[in-house]
Amino acid sequence: MERFVSYEKMSKKQQKIVNASKRGNWGNVKPITKVKASAKIYNRKKQNSGDYGYSFGSSAFL
């Protein structure tokens, strides 16, 4: 049977092992807070996403 050693008197290595055993994992939960961007804010990427405002029909290139 192991002797009881208080946390303060343990070596740093032993404290690290104890802390790791108490810590759990998040599973499938991502702890990052996600905030939806406001529609009022100017977004350059959304503005210039491939469409340059030209409205050529299919007959323009024939």
Side-chain angles (χ1 to χ4, degrees):
M1 189 166 116
E2 293 183 23
R3 298 178 106 187
F4 175 76
V5 180
S6 67
Y7 183 80
E8 293 80 24
K9 291 188 176 186
M10 285 183 187
S11 66
K12 296 285 183 180
K13 191 174 185 180
Q14 291 260 317
Q15 287 180 1
K16 190 174 180 181
I17 293 169
V18 170
N19 290 338
S21 68
K22 288 182 181 179
R23 229 178 273 126
N25 67 355
W26 286 83
N28 292 332
V29 178
K30 293 186 170 78
I32 301 168
T33 305
K34 295 188 178 188
V35 179
K36 184 179 176 186
S38 174
K40 294 180 180 180
I41 297 174
Y42 175 74
N43 187 355
R44 186 181 304 256
K45 290 180 182 178
K46 184 177 177 184
Q47 189 81 13
N48 297 330
S49 62
D51 184 25
Y52 295 104
Y54 302 121
S55 59
F56 293 122
S58 62
S59 64
F61 296 107
L62 294 176

